[in-house]
Amino acid sequence: MTSGYPFSAVVGHDDLRLALLLNAVHPAIGGVLVRGEKGTAKSTVVRGLAALLPAVVVVEGCRFSCDPAAPDPACPDAPHDGAATTTPARLVELPVGATEDRLVGSLDLERALTAGVRAYQPGLLSAAHRGVLYVDEVNLLHDHLVDLLLDAAAMGRAHVERDGVSVSHAASFLLVGTMNPEEGELRPQLLDRFGLTVEVAAARDVAVRTEVIRRRLAFEADPSGFAARWAAEDAALVRRITTARAALPSVRLPDAEVRRIAALCASFDVDGMRADLVVARASVAHAAWRGAGEVAAQDVEAAARLALPHRRRRDPFDEPGIDEEQLQQALRDADPDPPPDDDPGGGPGSGGDPADSTADPSGTPNSGNGNTTQPAATPDPAFQARLFSVDGVGEGAPGRRSRARSGFGRTLRATRGRGHGLHLVGTLAAAAPHQLARGRSGPGIVLWRGDVRRAVREGKESNLVLFAVDASGSMAARKRMSAVTGAVVSLLLDAYQRRDKVGLVTFRGGSADLVLPPTSSVEAAVARLRRLSTGGRTPLADGLLRAHRTLATERLRDPRRRPLLVVVTDGRATVPLRADPVADAMQAAGLLAGDGVASVVVDCERGPVRLGIPARLAHALNGAHVRLDELSADHVTGVVRAARSVA
Ligand SMILES: [Zn+2]
């Protein structure tokens, strides 16, 4: 047997270890979401936990790990006649690219109909029953799978349903997800459904880092010897988990602590009641973990620290984590017997938006086409942006922007060719004309393999939304730039909700820059935009060429993701590539149109004398033309189809 890295030997990561142990004691807390950059030993700790979970007694031969003392009456393998046997608690990993069938299991209707056998192939949810289900990069998992996963985690059961046939089995597991926030956030609705969250980072302390290296090298040199040295400590943790589990039902939760939990959650302005329940469960588990018979203030504090940070986020661009000062204050406020000390002043909310300090109250003069650089304007408030979609039907990663063939979504028709899942009606219709020839007698229908039809489904895909933003002097009048960045932030928020990748090209002064290469992190795009400097001349043609190169590179990297180019400009091109700045820009636009890139020009031209170049640019791009003040969804209804993409 190969030895994993022992849980007890992990240095630091106290919050993470506590969060995992509390869930091991009380799985109803709802799992742990671990956030942190790569190389922070997240998975080492999670795998270490699985080794600590007490072994489970199962019915021999049951593929669904039924407990002989209380077998699942709906178990697909029932009735059970196997003997009881003991197996270690399992750690099951869900790969990011998993299909729905792999997760929940598959009902093989095709085999059922043609061969007459009942065929249910259990999925990973069943394998994880009574163990740990670990999803690395949970933020990259398709929403549909995350929903299925969290539903099963919440109900302790999995349901598989296909064409009216359904199977259900027990699936209660400790759910652990890890994610690197730099690769894109989890939607707030999904964040909220994880019981606890922990932020992990590599230690800054030299002594701690030294110890991490020392132990890691010792482990690699002799894994089993290293594990043996830590076996006693791990065994002590196993005993402590077992004891705490047994004690859990008898831990008391006094009314005063229930009120403290309610007051705490109210002060953090969380949605709904889920937070209160999670904090309550985690408080009880924490009391059981430290061997106390009753929940005390310290248990509530420890639970709140793990359960509240991800629930108080109002906006995907807020800083994660919990404000320590706010937590302490809320705990004091909620205290039934407040100590009579009062902290005067205390400077609440000193963490104001640093962007505010760059605002210039004097009203900077509109320095025309000079080469001066101005700091970024504070974006206007975001609004619900209109939907721009790429025309045609793609095959890209699931999302919410453009039409696509996919395994999800509604069924369009049956096909003999490539499709997703069985199309029952189509299959029967194909078999029906041949019944006489096949010698059918009596009820039932004679199906041959060649009758099988599959479903062609259509759903939505995500796209790459590349912004090319004009930051030149003609755009830089402060009020205008605020409106422009506000609009781009709104489009970015929209891209976030539609799970798009985004990129940002800006052009000003002498040249264009790829400020943000295509990424799933919309947060990074917003951060870049907030730091955007403006002023100088307008190299529009260069900006478009830069966008063209970026999209060409990205097409090699991710060929199925269709791009949408959003050009934000007033069209006052002043920097020529060859002779005439505007003619050069039109030529660059022709290149993009020739590649079939779908595009939208956001027209920022204002004032009494308009040259109308943005409209001409949209025409040259074979794209849509929208004025800046028409970007909001309440201004116009309907989807704007950007130019057709390569079919
Ligand atoms: Zn069973």
Side-chain angles (χ1 to χ4, degrees), residues 59 61-67 71-80 129 169:
V59 176
C62 170
R63 293 174 299 162
F64 301 85
S65 307
C66 274
D67 181 352
D72 175 11
C75 176
D77 281 357
H80 300 95
H129 181 45
H169 64 80

Side-chain angles (χ1 to χ4, degrees), residues 298-389:
Q298 59 164 296
D299 301 312
V300 176
E301 179 178 347
R305 205 182 290 285
L306 299 170
L308 291 184
H310 57 301
R311 293 198 161 81
R312 53 148 277 273
R313 304 180 63 196
R314 318 304 310 169
D315 179 306
F317 306 128
D318 282 348
E319 284 296 310
I322 198 162
D323 184 338
E324 190 58 38
E325 192 139 320
Q326 190 187 354
L327 176 64
Q328 292 307 330
Q329 185 61 48
L331 281 167
R332 277 196 300 274
D333 290 350
D335 206 319
D337 305 305
D341 89 89
D342 239 354
D343 179 10
S350 54
D353 184 358
D356 287 347
S357 61
T358 63
D360 181 353
S362 69
T364 313
N366 307 342
S367 52
N369 287 347
N371 269 316
T372 53
T373 294
Q374 297 174 8
T378 307
D380 280 359
F383 50 82
Q384 177 70 52
R386 293 169 76 166
L387 170 60
F388 298 101
S389 73

Side-chain angles (χ1 to χ4, degrees), residues 158-386:
H159 296 276
V160 195
E161 196 155 328
R162 290 293 145 76
D163 304 293
V165 181
S166 68
V167 170
S168 157
H169 64 80
S172 118
F173 49 81
L174 198 178
L175 177 64
V176 184
T178 55
M179 60 176 277
N180 178 357
E182 286 174 1
E183 289 167 353
E185 278 293 349
L186 207 56
R187 285 188 296 132
Q189 305 90 298
L190 299 179
L191 266 182
D192 174 58
R193 298 182 57 180
F194 277 92
L196 310 179
T197 44
V198 184
E199 301 276 338
V200 297
R204 298 274 168 261
D205 186 278
V206 174
V208 173
R209 294 179 80 105
T210 310
E211 189 58 21
V212 170
I213 299 168
R214 230 172 41 79
R215 290 190 190 175
R216 192 77 220 180
L217 293 179
F219 171 71
E220 280 166 14
D222 176 15
S224 45
F226 186 81
R229 285 201 290 286
W230 290 92
E233 304 216 14
D234 265 10
L237 283 177
V238 175
R239 282 195 301 277
R240 198 167 161 190
I241 291 171
T242 312
T243 309
R245 273 187 182 180
L248 193 72
S250 54
V251 171
R252 285 181 308 280
L253 179 59
D255 284 349
E257 296 309 324
V258 177
R259 273 197 302 277
R260 189 196 303 276
I261 291 167
L264 199 57
C265 292
S267 81
F268 274 88
D269 196 21
V270 296
D271 291 329
M273 292 296 296
R274 199 193 301 271
D276 304 58
L277 292 171
V278 172
V279 175
R281 290 186 188 120
S283 301
V284 171
H286 191 265
W289 177 247
R290 61 183 184 88
E294 186 172 291
V295 171
Q298 59 164 296
D299 301 312
V300 176
E301 179 178 347
R305 205 182 290 285
L306 299 170
L308 291 184
H310 57 301
R311 293 198 161 81
R312 53 148 277 273
R313 304 180 63 196
R314 318 304 310 169
D315 179 306
F317 306 128
D318 282 348
E319 284 296 310
I322 198 162
D323 184 338
E324 190 58 38
E325 192 139 320
Q326 190 187 354
L327 176 64
Q328 292 307 330
Q329 185 61 48
L331 281 167
R332 277 196 300 274
D333 290 350
D335 206 319
D337 305 305
D341 89 89
D342 239 354
D343 179 10
S350 54
D353 184 358
D356 287 347
S357 61
T358 63
D360 181 353
S362 69
T364 313
N366 307 342
S367 52
N369 287 347
N371 269 316
T372 53
T373 294
Q374 297 174 8
T378 307
D380 280 359
F383 50 82
Q384 177 70 52
R386 293 169 76 166

